[in-house]
Amino acid sequence: MLTKRELLRTAATTTIALAGIGSLPAFAQAGADRPGFLKAKDIAEAGFIYGLPIVMNYAVMYEYAVDRNSGQFKAPFNQIKNEPNVYTYKDTAVITPNSDTPYSILWMDLRAEPMVLSVPAVDPKRYYSIMLCDGNTYNYGYVGSRATGSEAGDYMVVGPNWSGATPPGIKKVFRSTTQFSVAAYRTQLFNPDDLENMKKVQEGYKALSLSAYLKQPTTVAAATVDFPKIDKELVKTNFFEYLDFALQFAPAQDNEKDIRAQLATIGVGSGKTFNFKDLPMEKKLEIGLGMKEGERKIEEAVAKAGKEVNGWRISSLFGDSAFFNGDWLKRAAGAKAGIYGNDAAEATYPMTRADVDGQTLDCAGRNYSLTFPAGQLPPVNAFWSVTMYDGKTQLLIENPINRYLINSPMLPAMKTNVDGSLTIYIQNKSPGADKEANWLPAPDGPVYLAMRLYWPKAQAPSILPPGEGMWQPPGVKLAL
């Protein structure tokens, strides 16, 4: 099973290994139609940073909508798949998965015609959102509690080249920059007893092609696509082949023309057929070295993203094309930190691998606590959570009480301290029956924590702008 962290870590390191360090003297013989060694390495580095989110997205799309035997398959294109449960340790296709809100997933093929997404009226007390994310990993629109309200409505999603008329009754049109796109639905589940009510909301989500919505016959069919198989072995050497494939469905925007032109000089892009295994050894080496350096820069960007507050990194790494404005490193850092994250206005994500003293969180023989002072819980319009992940894989962990997070809907069952503060116990073993309601089970090893503030309040005290607001998350402390 391919995880996105493995994709990042193995693609560059294995490529350079397969290139063969012993061929170094041969790289001086660069062909006249290709850049020299150092220039080609720089292009591969820039291309890896530019292309990582695109390839990561393709890998998820392949597992969710193409390969019915992937173990993660959801539904064919243009069909909604409702998940009437939250994600668990068994869900491995996406790193740092959200286990707060049951998902509905819709992968859209927008080549032939637009899709119309219809939503039911939703109780204003129940948060929901539909994040529209394209193959460039741009969040190009939202439907839901914050963005459009709780009323019923019909919304149209169109591809990059669509130029038709907007039918009556459509509340808003959203334009994807790529021909394949995903709609990620998040529907709040209040508690286990709320499951049937939540399912009724999911059942109200509808997706129709424009022709079906208008009750007209389909006049144009999308061409069949031969999607290349992707897994953690193939991506080791085929990274740029996957990028090459994905770019044909992503018309270049103005701010992409330069990087696309550079990639074309090493055989990647529209009309190109990049094939790593057929490259001379010296070319494999330059590609591998560039990818390795790109990997290093992405890891560094994630570690330094945003601002550190009490050991948490608070940043804003997700948004639309204008938000990134050609900053490919920021886009790659967002995908690496947790692909398909929300815009900060929809959800803000403090994340940490360290305690308040800057020491690495590791629950192999150590216990920690996280205490919110009285009256200082995360300020949100919807709800908040703290989710536990394995520090190595960034995946949810199996644990004896099947608890992956603590969130605000759980507060009535939790215990507060005498002074009104709330303490969460972060450890591998139970803290005891009297504290178990406040226990967030941890792996027997490194820890990665993600706090999620859904629809954070904009007025003070607020976490917005991310890392600069008046409200600050408390630090994780080592239990004495």
Side-chain angles (χ1 to χ4, degrees):
M1 188 61 60
L2 174 67
T3 69
K4 303 306 159 281
R5 186 172 183 85
E6 287 173 326
L7 186 151
L8 172 69
R9 190 166 299 283
T10 63
T13 53
T14 305
T15 297
I16 193 170
L18 291 177
I21 300 299
S23 332
L24 272 170
F27 65 65
Q29 307 300 318
D33 59 339
R34 287 178 60 87
F37 179 79
L38 292 178
K39 180 62 176 176
K41 181 192 77 67
D42 290 345
I43 292 172
E45 174 189 319
F48 184 75
I49 293 170
Y50 166 78
L52 180 69
I54 299 170
V55 175
M56 289 176 72
N57 174 79
Y58 175 73
V60 178
M61 184 177 78
Y62 185 84
E63 291 191 7
Y64 276 16
V66 177
D67 183 4
R68 293 175 181 269
N69 298 315
S70 69
Q72 301 290 324
F73 183 79
K74 303 301 181 185
F77 288 107
N78 301 337
Q79 294 183 28
I80 297 176
K81 169 61 175 177
N82 292 320
E83 300 282 3
N85 52 270
V86 293
Y87 276 16
T88 73
Y89 69 93
K90 296 180 181 179
D91 297 284
T92 61
V94 177
I95 60 171
T96 327
N98 158 23
S99 191
D100 284 296
T101 55
Y103 276 108
S104 300
I105 301 294
L106 169 67
W107 282 94
M108 294 175 284
D109 180 350
L110 303 170
R111 292 174 300 152
E113 58 178 321
M115 292 292 294
V116 176
L117 311 188
S118 300
V119 297
V122 179
D123 185 339
K125 295 179 182 178
R126 186 187 303 276
Y127 169 83
Y128 89 99
S129 71
I130 305 173
M131 181 185 75
L132 302 173
C133 186
D134 58 31
N136 288 314
T137 66
Y138 296 147
N139 295 341
Y140 60 92
Y142 279 91
V143 175
S145 303
R146 178 194 63 86
T148 58
S150 299
E151 300 79 17
D154 299 333
Y155 302 87
M156 188 161 72
V157 181
V158 306
N161 301 318
W162 185 79
S163 60
T166 302
I170 296 296
K171 286 192 170 184
K172 189 171 183 178
V173 176
F174 299 95
R175 184 177 296 273
S176 169
T177 67
T178 60
Q179 294 173 332
F180 292 97
S181 175
V182 64
Y185 298 63
R186 296 171 170 96
T187 310
Q188 185 177 5
L189 177 68
F190 295 123
N191 53 57
D193 294 335
D194 180 51
L195 186 60
E196 292 305 315
N197 294 325
M198 189 280 304
K199 285 182 180 179
K200 290 177 182 178
V201 177
Q202 287 185 326
E203 290 167 0
Y205 299 141
K206 306 297 181 185
L208 295 172
S209 65
L210 179 59
S211 56
Y213 175 78
L214 297 174
K215 296 181 171 57
Q216 297 175 352
T218 302
T219 57
V220 180
T224 301
V225 177
D226 184 14
F227 294 100
K229 177 181 174 60
I230 185 169
D231 59 34
K232 66 181 180 182
E233 294 302 319
L234 291 171
V235 81
K236 291 176 181 178
T237 55
N238 295 13
F239 179 87
F240 281 109
E241 293 175 51
Y242 292 120
L243 177 60
D244 191 70
F245 175 82
L247 289 180
Q248 68 182 298
F249 304 109
Q253 297 184 292
D254 287 343
N255 59 12
E256 292 179 282
K257 290 180 179 178
D258 181 60
I259 185 64
R260 294 277 190 107
Q262 291 182 52
L263 285 168
T265 66
I266 61 170
V268 177
S270 180
K272 306 294 183 182
T273 54
F274 185 91
N275 193 325
F276 180 84
K277 66 179 182 294
D278 290 341
L279 291 177
M281 198 63 71
E282 67 271 17
K283 304 306 178 189
K284 291 180 180 178
L285 179 61
E286 66 192 18
I287 296 297
L289 287 171
M291 291 174 65
K292 182 63 176 175
E293 181 63 10
E295 175 190 17
R296 185 193 66 77
K297 288 186 175 180
I298 293 169
E299 295 273 11
E300 184 178 80
V302 172
K304 294 182 177 180
K307 182 177 181 180
E308 183 176 326
V309 179
N310 295 328
W312 298 84
R313 298 301 304 190
I314 307 176
S315 60
S316 179
L317 292 174
F318 307 101
D320 59 11
S321 177
F323 169 82
F324 290 108
N325 192 29
D327 188 339
W328 312 128
L329 186 58
K330 177 190 277 190
R331 186 177 67 168
K336 168 64 180 66
I339 193 170
Y340 308 132
N342 277 298
D343 293 11
E346 193 70 42
T348 300
Y349 308 96
M351 297 183 175
T352 187
R353 297 179 184 274
D355 64 20
V356 71
D357 297 317
Q359 300 301 306
T360 300
L361 293 172
D362 193 324
C363 285
R366 297 178 185 172
N367 299 331
Y368 299 88
S369 64
L370 174 65
T371 298
F372 294 98
Q376 296 184 39
L377 292 174
V380 293
N381 292 299
F383 67 101
W384 59 266
S385 69
V386 180
T387 305
M388 173 65 65
Y389 299 98
D390 178 87
K392 297 177 182 178
T393 64
Q394 290 181 217
L395 297 174
L396 298 166
I397 63 161
E398 186 175 8
N399 65 84
I401 60 173
N402 296 320
R403 181 181 295 165
Y404 308 101
L405 56 82
I406 284 179
N407 60 22
S408 50
M410 296 167 63
L411 288 174
M414 298 177 70
K415 294 182 179 181
T416 55
N417 301 315
V418 175
D419 63 358
S421 61
L422 177 76
T423 297
I424 297 173
Y425 301 98
I426 299 167
Q427 52 195 75
N428 180 249
K429 304 298 182 184
S430 171
D434 61 327
K435 297 179 178 178
E436 199 159 279
N438 295 35
W439 177 35
L440 182 55
D444 186 19
V447 164
Y448 184 52
L449 286 174
M451 194 178 294
R452 289 177 168 87
L453 281 67
Y454 289 93
W455 192 0
K457 289 185 176 180
Q459 68 275 20
S462 172
I463 197 171
L464 300 175
E468 304 294 336
M470 289 180 59
W471 185 86
Q472 298 183 339
V476 178
K477 294 183 178 181
L478 181 65
L480 300 178

